[in-house]
């Protein structure tokens, strides 16, 4: 298994090419999106080998002694170096420790970068969900507004409000009709833009006058006008809540 080998995951979908080796049997595999994924070497299998040639570093000749031997010039003008075994082991150990520290730090940075990418993807999904929810709320507000602007019809004819008018005078009937009018106005007074049509009939105009007088004195912020003649003739008044 070498850097550049194409591998696939044994226990997961996907794969890629090996970009680096890490301590404890961990390899970094670059997937098709360019992300380096840390995997255990035992969990990948090589599907295409690409052996990379590496140059070997010259290894100094080791002479085991108490003191290091200084460089000396040969007859051809070249120099050869030699160090004591103690010094060689000391330098090798220090270099190995530095390499291990660098590899550990690089592995941690790689894991952190992957975690950041995953977090960014999660945040993007949350933002999309938030935008969708806000769109639904806006739609609901529009529907609610539409409902508010729908016209409410209140038929104040006595036969529509009462099962029977037996024993009731005209004054009693008008008082009941006005009570229904006031109750309706109070129920919808907070709904700005609401339109209410009170159907009172033409008759002698007594109920219509009582309604307009009530609007002038008790509901001064509301606008009123004759309702559509085509639909109601002269027998209805439209109130617009402001």
């Amino acid at each position: 298994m070498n850097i550049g080998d194409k591998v696939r995951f044994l226990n997961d979908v996907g794969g890629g090419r090996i970009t680096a080796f890490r301590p404890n049997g961990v390899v970094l595999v670059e997937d098709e999106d360019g992300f380096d994924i840390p995997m255990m070497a035992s969990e990948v299998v090589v599907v295409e080998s690409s052996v990379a040639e590496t140059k070997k570093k010259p290894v100094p000749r080791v002479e085991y002694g108490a003191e290091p031997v200084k460089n000396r010039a040969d007859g051809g003008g070249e120099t050869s170096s030699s160090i004591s075994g103690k010094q060689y082991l000391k330098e090798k150990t220090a270099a190995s420790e530095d390499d291990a520290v660098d590899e550990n730090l690089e592995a941690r940075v790689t894991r952190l970068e992957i975690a950041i990418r995953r977090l960014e993807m999660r945040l993007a999904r949350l933002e999309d969900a938030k935008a969708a929810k806000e769109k639904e709320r806006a739609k609901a507000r529009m529907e609610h507004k539409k409902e508010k602007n729908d016209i409410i019809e209140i038929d104040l004819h006595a036969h529509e409000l009462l099962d029977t008018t037996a024993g009731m005078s005209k004054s009693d009937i008008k008082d009941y009709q006005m009570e229904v009018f006031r109750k309706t106005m109070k129920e919808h007074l907070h709904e700005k833009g609401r339109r209410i049509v009170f159907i009172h009939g033409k008759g002698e105009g007594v109920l219509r006058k009582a309604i307009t007088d009530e609007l002038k004195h008790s509901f001064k912020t509301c606008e009123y006008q004759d309702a559509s003649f085509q639909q109601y003739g002269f027998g209805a008044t439209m109130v617009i809540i402001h």
Side-chain angles (χ1 to χ4, degrees), residues 9 15 87 112 169 180 198 212 214 220 230:
F9 303 147
Q87 182 68 20
L112 180 60
S169 65
V180 173
F198 293 98
T212 56
E214 188 79 18
K220 296 180 180 180
Q230 293 180 345

Side-chain angles (χ1 to χ4, degrees), residues 51-86:
V51 179
E53 296 183 357
T54 58
K55 296 182 179 180
K56 293 184 178 180
K57 295 182 179 180
V59 179
R61 178 168 54 88
V62 177
E63 295 180 0
Y64 293 92
E67 299 293 337
V69 180
K70 297 180 180 180
N71 293 346
R72 61 177 181 275
D74 295 335
E78 297 180 354
T79 62
S80 62
S81 61
S82 63
I83 59 176
S84 70
K86 185 184 295 184

Side-chain angles (χ1 to χ4, degrees), residues 107-227:
R108 290 172 62 187
V109 170
T110 301
R111 288 196 296 270
L112 180 60
E113 289 175 345
I114 293 173
I116 290 173
R117 292 191 188 105
R118 289 177 177 171
L119 180 60
E120 289 174 344
M121 293 173 65
R122 184 179 178 187
L123 288 174
R125 289 194 295 268
L126 289 175
E127 288 293 336
D128 291 342
K130 182 180 179 181
K133 187 177 290 186
E134 183 59 33
K135 186 176 180 180
E136 288 295 326
R137 288 176 179 172
K139 183 178 178 181
R141 286 195 295 268
M142 290 296 294
E143 291 177 352
H144 180 65
K145 184 177 180 181
K146 183 180 179 181
E147 290 176 358
K148 282 178 58 178
N149 290 332
D150 288 343
I151 296 176
I152 296 176
E153 290 183 357
I154 304 296
D155 195 334
L156 296 177
H157 283 98
H159 64 273
E160 292 291 338
L161 300 178
L162 299 165
D163 294 332
T164 177
T165 59
M168 298 180 67
S169 65
K170 290 184 178 181
S171 177
D172 292 336
I173 294 173
K174 190 190 78 169
D175 289 344
Y176 186 79
Q177 290 170 320
M178 291 303 296
E179 183 179 341
V180 173
F181 166 77
R182 296 187 191 97
K183 182 179 179 181
T184 303
M185 288 296 297
K186 291 177 181 178
E187 285 179 354
H188 300 282
L189 197 58
H190 65 285
E191 300 175 8
K192 307 300 181 183
R194 170 67 73 187
R195 299 178 180 221
I196 308 173
V197 172
F198 293 98
I199 304 172
H200 45 67
K202 185 177 180 182
E204 298 176 0
V206 176
L207 183 56
R208 180 182 185 280
K209 185 176 185 307
I211 289 174
T212 56
D213 288 344
E214 188 79 18
L215 288 169
K216 290 177 183 178
H217 294 91
S218 301
F219 303 99
K220 296 180 180 180
T221 60
C222 297
E223 178 184 352
Y224 66 93
Q225 62 189 47
D226 290 337

